[in-house]
Amino acid sequence: MKIKRYNLDRMTIEEFANMYNLTMEIRERHPRDTDDRFYAHFERAEVMRGGCLIGEYGNGRTEEDAIENYAVAISGKRLAIGAYTAERREIQVPVLSR
């Protein structure tokens, strides 16, 4: 039997960031505010959805959890980097893992 497979591209979030020279920002919330103490996202990145730009963040108890949550949140979506600048880039995100 012949089979043609068309799998989605996959890579780690670190490989993706290195490929596009992206910087991960991790911020800490005050511990009294929430159990998800950290949130993460790529600097100057917004998700493109239906003609709108959406701020997407990953949340977690640790920095690593926040990055992993962000990887899941942006997988398969399209990012606009520097959306309102002359250097705007649009990137299709593959399936990401930590």
Side-chain angles (χ1 to χ4, degrees), residues 25-51:
E25 288 187 347
I26 301 172
R27 298 187 186 260
E28 183 178 11
R29 296 180 178 104
H30 196 282
R32 73 170 179 259
D33 294 338
T34 180
D35 288 338
D36 287 333
R37 190 167 171 186
F38 297 93
Y39 65 100
H41 69 103
F42 286 129
E43 182 178 51
R44 302 175 59 207
E46 297 173 89
V47 171
M48 300 170 63
R49 186 181 306 151

Short mmCIF file of all heavy atoms in Angstrom, two decimals, residues 25-51:
data_model
loop_
_atom_site.label_atom_id
_atom_site.label_comp_id
_atom_site.label_asym_id
_atom_site.label_seq_id
_atom_site.Cartn_x
_atom_site.Cartn_y
_atom_site.Cartn_z
N GLU A 25 10.50 36.76 26.84
CA GLU A 25 10.39 37.61 28.03
C GLU A 25 9.63 36.82 29.10
O GLU A 25 8.57 36.26 28.82
CB GLU A 25 9.60 38.88 27.73
CG GLU A 25 10.33 39.88 26.89
CD GLU A 25 9.57 41.19 26.77
OE1 GLU A 25 8.37 41.26 27.12
OE2 GLU A 25 10.19 42.15 26.30
N ILE A 26 10.19 36.78 30.29
CA ILE A 26 9.54 36.12 31.42
C ILE A 26 9.38 37.16 32.52
O ILE A 26 10.34 37.80 32.91
CB ILE A 26 10.36 34.92 31.92
CG1 ILE A 26 10.55 33.91 30.80
CG2 ILE A 26 9.68 34.28 33.14
CD1 ILE A 26 11.50 32.80 31.14
N ARG A 27 8.17 37.28 32.99
CA ARG A 27 7.89 38.25 34.05
C ARG A 27 7.32 37.51 35.26
O ARG A 27 6.62 36.52 35.13
CB ARG A 27 6.91 39.31 33.57
CG ARG A 27 7.53 40.10 32.41
CD ARG A 27 6.65 41.26 32.04
NE ARG A 27 7.19 41.90 30.86
CZ ARG A 27 7.91 43.00 30.87
NH1 ARG A 27 8.21 43.59 32.01
NH2 ARG A 27 8.34 43.53 29.75
N GLU A 28 7.65 38.06 36.42
CA GLU A 28 7.19 37.46 37.66
C GLU A 28 6.09 38.33 38.27
O GLU A 28 6.21 39.55 38.32
CB GLU A 28 8.36 37.35 38.64
CG GLU A 28 8.00 36.69 39.94
CD GLU A 28 9.19 36.53 40.88
OE1 GLU A 28 10.26 37.13 40.60
OE2 GLU A 28 9.04 35.81 41.86
N ARG A 29 5.02 37.68 38.70
CA ARG A 29 3.96 38.36 39.41
C ARG A 29 4.24 38.25 40.90
O ARG A 29 4.95 37.37 41.35
CB ARG A 29 2.62 37.69 39.12
CG ARG A 29 2.19 37.77 37.68
CD ARG A 29 0.83 37.07 37.54
NE ARG A 29 0.34 37.16 36.19
CZ ARG A 29 0.35 36.16 35.31
NH1 ARG A 29 0.85 34.98 35.64
NH2 ARG A 29 -0.14 36.32 34.12
N HIS A 30 3.65 39.12 41.65
CA HIS A 30 3.79 39.03 43.10
C HIS A 30 3.13 37.74 43.58
O HIS A 30 2.03 37.40 43.14
CB HIS A 30 3.16 40.24 43.79
CG HIS A 30 3.60 40.37 45.20
ND1 HIS A 30 3.10 39.60 46.21
CD2 HIS A 30 4.54 41.17 45.75
CE1 HIS A 30 3.69 39.91 47.34
NE2 HIS A 30 4.57 40.87 47.09
N PRO A 31 3.78 36.99 44.45
CA PRO A 31 3.26 35.69 44.89
C PRO A 31 1.86 35.75 45.51
O PRO A 31 1.13 34.78 45.46
CB PRO A 31 4.27 35.22 45.92
CG PRO A 31 5.46 36.07 45.78
CD PRO A 31 5.06 37.31 45.06
N ARG A 32 1.47 36.87 46.06
CA ARG A 32 0.15 36.94 46.69
C ARG A 32 -0.97 37.07 45.66
O ARG A 32 -2.13 36.86 45.97
CB ARG A 32 0.09 38.10 47.67
CG ARG A 32 0.03 39.46 47.01
CD ARG A 32 -0.28 40.58 47.99
NE ARG A 32 -0.29 41.82 47.26
CZ ARG A 32 0.70 42.69 47.25
NH1 ARG A 32 1.79 42.48 47.95
NH2 ARG A 32 0.61 43.79 46.54
N ASP A 33 -0.63 37.42 44.39
CA ASP A 33 -1.64 37.68 43.39
C ASP A 33 -2.20 36.43 42.72
O ASP A 33 -3.36 36.41 42.32
CB ASP A 33 -1.09 38.62 42.30
CG ASP A 33 -0.79 40.01 42.85
OD1 ASP A 33 -1.36 40.38 43.90
OD2 ASP A 33 0.03 40.71 42.24
N THR A 34 -1.40 35.39 42.58
CA THR A 34 -1.83 34.21 41.84
C THR A 34 -0.89 33.04 42.08
O THR A 34 0.25 33.23 42.46
CB THR A 34 -1.88 34.52 40.32
OG1 THR A 34 -2.31 33.35 39.61
CG2 THR A 34 -0.54 34.95 39.78
N ASP A 35 -1.39 31.84 41.83
CA ASP A 35 -0.53 30.65 41.88
C ASP A 35 0.39 30.59 40.66
O ASP A 35 1.48 30.03 40.72
CB ASP A 35 -1.36 29.37 41.95
CG ASP A 35 -2.02 29.19 43.31
OD1 ASP A 35 -1.54 29.79 44.30
OD2 ASP A 35 -3.02 28.46 43.38
N ASP A 36 -0.09 31.13 39.52
CA ASP A 36 0.74 31.19 38.31
C ASP A 36 1.65 32.40 38.43
O ASP A 36 1.34 33.49 37.95
CB ASP A 36 -0.13 31.29 37.06
CG ASP A 36 -0.83 29.99 36.74
OD1 ASP A 36 -0.29 28.92 37.11
OD2 ASP A 36 -1.90 30.02 36.11
N ARG A 37 2.77 32.20 39.06
CA ARG A 37 3.67 33.29 39.44
C ARG A 37 4.38 33.93 38.25
O ARG A 37 4.77 35.09 38.29
CB ARG A 37 4.69 32.75 40.43
CG ARG A 37 5.52 33.81 41.07
CD ARG A 37 6.26 33.23 42.24
NE ARG A 37 7.23 34.18 42.74
CZ ARG A 37 8.09 33.90 43.68
NH1 ARG A 37 8.12 32.71 44.22
NH2 ARG A 37 8.95 34.80 44.09
N PHE A 38 4.57 33.16 37.16
CA PHE A 38 5.32 33.66 36.01
C PHE A 38 4.45 33.68 34.76
O PHE A 38 3.55 32.86 34.60
CB PHE A 38 6.55 32.78 35.75
CG PHE A 38 7.53 32.79 36.89
CD1 PHE A 38 7.47 31.82 37.89
CD2 PHE A 38 8.51 33.76 36.98
CE1 PHE A 38 8.36 31.83 38.94
CE2 PHE A 38 9.41 33.78 38.03
CZ PHE A 38 9.33 32.81 39.02
N TYR A 39 4.75 34.63 33.87
CA TYR A 39 4.16 34.59 32.53
C TYR A 39 5.25 34.89 31.51
O TYR A 39 6.23 35.58 31.79
CB TYR A 39 2.94 35.50 32.39
CG TYR A 39 3.15 36.98 32.53
CD1 TYR A 39 3.24 37.80 31.42
CD2 TYR A 39 3.19 37.59 33.79
CE1 TYR A 39 3.39 39.17 31.54
CE2 TYR A 39 3.34 38.96 33.92
CZ TYR A 39 3.43 39.74 32.80
OH TYR A 39 3.57 41.10 32.92
N ALA A 40 5.07 34.31 30.31
CA ALA A 40 6.11 34.37 29.29
C ALA A 40 5.50 34.64 27.92
O ALA A 40 4.36 34.25 27.65
CB ALA A 40 6.88 33.04 29.26
N HIS A 41 6.29 35.29 27.08
CA HIS A 41 5.91 35.51 25.67
C HIS A 41 7.15 36.00 24.92
O HIS A 41 8.13 36.45 25.52
CB HIS A 41 4.77 36.52 25.55
CG HIS A 41 5.16 37.92 25.90
ND1 HIS A 41 5.39 38.89 24.97
CD2 HIS A 41 5.36 38.50 27.10
CE1 HIS A 41 5.73 40.01 25.58
NE2 HIS A 41 5.72 39.80 26.88
N PHE A 42 7.08 35.91 23.58
CA PHE A 42 8.17 36.45 22.79
C PHE A 42 8.04 37.97 22.74
O PHE A 42 6.94 38.51 22.56
CB PHE A 42 8.15 35.90 21.36
CG PHE A 42 8.60 34.48 21.25
CD1 PHE A 42 7.84 33.53 20.59
CD2 PHE A 42 9.81 34.07 21.82
CE1 PHE A 42 8.26 32.23 20.48
CE2 PHE A 42 10.24 32.76 21.72
CZ PHE A 42 9.46 31.84 21.05
N GLU A 43 9.17 38.63 22.88
CA GLU A 43 9.23 40.09 22.84
C GLU A 43 8.64 40.60 21.53
O GLU A 43 8.97 40.09 20.46
CB GLU A 43 10.70 40.51 22.98
CG GLU A 43 10.94 41.98 23.02
CD GLU A 43 12.42 42.26 23.20
OE1 GLU A 43 13.24 41.70 22.44
OE2 GLU A 43 12.76 43.03 24.11
N ARG A 44 7.76 41.58 21.62
CA ARG A 44 7.15 42.27 20.47
C ARG A 44 6.29 41.35 19.60
O ARG A 44 6.03 41.65 18.44
CB ARG A 44 8.22 42.95 19.62
CG ARG A 44 9.05 43.95 20.41
CD ARG A 44 10.19 44.53 19.60
NE ARG A 44 9.66 45.18 18.41
CZ ARG A 44 10.34 45.32 17.28
NH1 ARG A 44 11.56 44.86 17.19
NH2 ARG A 44 9.81 45.92 16.24
N ALA A 45 5.83 40.21 20.14
CA ALA A 45 5.05 39.25 19.37
C ALA A 45 3.57 39.30 19.74
O ALA A 45 3.22 39.40 20.91
CB ALA A 45 5.57 37.83 19.59
N GLU A 46 2.74 39.23 18.71
CA GLU A 46 1.30 39.15 18.90
C GLU A 46 0.77 38.08 17.95
O GLU A 46 1.30 37.88 16.86
CB GLU A 46 0.64 40.49 18.60
CG GLU A 46 1.11 41.59 19.54
CD GLU A 46 0.60 42.95 19.14
OE1 GLU A 46 -0.50 43.31 19.59
OE2 GLU A 46 1.30 43.64 18.39
N VAL A 47 -0.29 37.41 18.36
CA VAL A 47 -0.92 36.39 17.54
C VAL A 47 -1.91 37.07 16.60
O VAL A 47 -2.68 37.95 17.01
CB VAL A 47 -1.64 35.34 18.42
CG1 VAL A 47 -2.49 34.41 17.57
CG2 VAL A 47 -0.64 34.55 19.23
N MET A 48 -1.89 36.67 15.33
CA MET A 48 -2.81 37.19 14.34
C MET A 48 -4.04 36.27 14.33
O MET A 48 -3.91 35.07 14.13
CB MET A 48 -2.14 37.22 12.97
CG MET A 48 -0.91 38.08 12.93
SD MET A 48 0.05 37.90 11.42
CE MET A 48 -1.12 38.49 10.21
N ARG A 49 -5.22 36.87 14.54
CA ARG A 49 -6.45 36.07 14.56
C ARG A 49 -7.59 36.88 13.95
O ARG A 49 -7.98 37.91 14.50
CB ARG A 49 -6.80 35.66 15.98
CG ARG A 49 -7.98 34.70 16.05
CD ARG A 49 -8.36 34.28 17.44
NE ARG A 49 -7.23 33.74 18.16
CZ ARG A 49 -7.09 33.82 19.48
NH1 ARG A 49 -8.00 34.40 20.21
NH2 ARG A 49 -6.04 33.30 20.07
N GLY A 50 -8.10 36.42 12.82
CA GLY A 50 -9.25 37.06 12.20
C GLY A 50 -9.09 38.54 11.94
O GLY A 50 -10.01 39.31 12.18
N GLY A 51 -7.92 38.96 11.49
CA GLY A 51 -7.67 40.37 11.21
C GLY A 51 -7.33 41.21 12.43
O GLY A 51 -7.15 42.41 12.33
#
